[in-house]
Amino acid sequence: MLSRLWNSAVIWFWAFNGLRLVYGLLLLPLIAHLLSKADLGLYFALFNIVAVAQMLDIGMSAAIDRHVSYASGGARELQALGMQLPSHPDSGPNKDLLWQLLDTTRVYYRYLSLIFLVLFGTIGTAMLAGKMGETSSPAASWAAWIIALLSAAFEIYASWWNVFLRGMNQVVVSGRIQFLAQSMKLVLAALLLIAGAGLPGIFI
C-alpha cells in the first residue's frame, strides 16, 4: 500500500495542494501576527503581483506536454493539425525531436521569465513606489519587492523542466519535485519570519 501511494501521481498532486492549503492556514496567521498593518498590506500587494506569473504560461505547457508525448511515441515531425505517425509501429522515441523540443521549451520559458521581469518590474515598481514610505522599513520593503520579483521570474523559468517531465510521462517525479519545493518554501518562510527577517523573509 505504501509503495502504491509513493508511486501515485494523484497522491502527490493532492499532497501538493494540501501544502498550499497549509501554507495559507499556517503562514498567514504568522504573517498577520508578526507584520505591521502597512507591511501586511504590502505583502498582499506583492503576493497578487507575483501570482500573475503563474498565469503567463497561456496554455503553452499543455501544448508542450502533447508534443513531447508525440515525440516520445516516435512521431517523425510535429504538425499544426493532427499527428505524424511513426515510420514503424515498434519504433522507439524520436530522440532528435525530443532534444529539439527540450531546447525550444527552455528558450521559451527563458524569454517568458525575462518578459515578466521587465514588464512587471516596471509596472510593479511604479505602482508600489508611493506605498513604500508607509511601511515600517522602506529599505526592507524595496528588498522584499526585488526578491519577490526575481524569485517569481526564476520560478517561471525553472518550471520548464517540470513541464517537459510531465510530457515524458514522468508525472510522479514532477509531483515529487513540486511537493518538495512547496515544502521548502513553507518551512523557510516560517523560520525566517520567526527569526525576524520580516517581509523579505517571506519571499526569500
Side-chain angles (χ1 to χ4, degrees), residues 108-203:
Y108 170 76
Y109 278 93
R110 182 189 303 153
Y111 282 113
L112 192 62
S113 63
L114 288 172
I115 289 168
F116 170 82
L117 195 60
V118 172
L119 186 63
F120 282 83
T122 305
I123 296 171
T125 301
M127 287 172 55
L128 298 169
K131 302 292 182 183
M132 294 300 189
E134 301 173 8
T135 60
S136 58
S137 172
S141 298
W142 279 116
W145 166 232
I146 293 167
I147 292 166
L149 185 68
L150 291 175
S151 65
F154 177 72
E155 195 165 345
I156 292 170
Y157 175 69
S159 66
W160 75 268
W161 183 236
N162 246 7
V163 171
F164 205 83
L165 276 175
R166 289 196 300 269
M168 294 189 71
N169 201 28
Q170 298 296 320
V171 183
V172 174
V173 176
S174 173
R176 289 173 184 165
I177 290 171
Q178 286 186 300
F179 179 82
L180 178 62
Q182 189 71 13
S183 302
M184 290 173 65
K185 284 169 69 174
L186 174 62
V187 171
L188 285 173
L191 289 176
L192 286 168
L193 270 172
I194 293 168
L199 197 56
I202 303 169
F203 297 100

Side-chain angles (χ1 to χ4, degrees), residues 41-53:
L42 181 61
Y43 162 75
F44 283 115
L46 296 183
F47 183 83
N48 286 329
I49 292 171
V50 169
V52 177

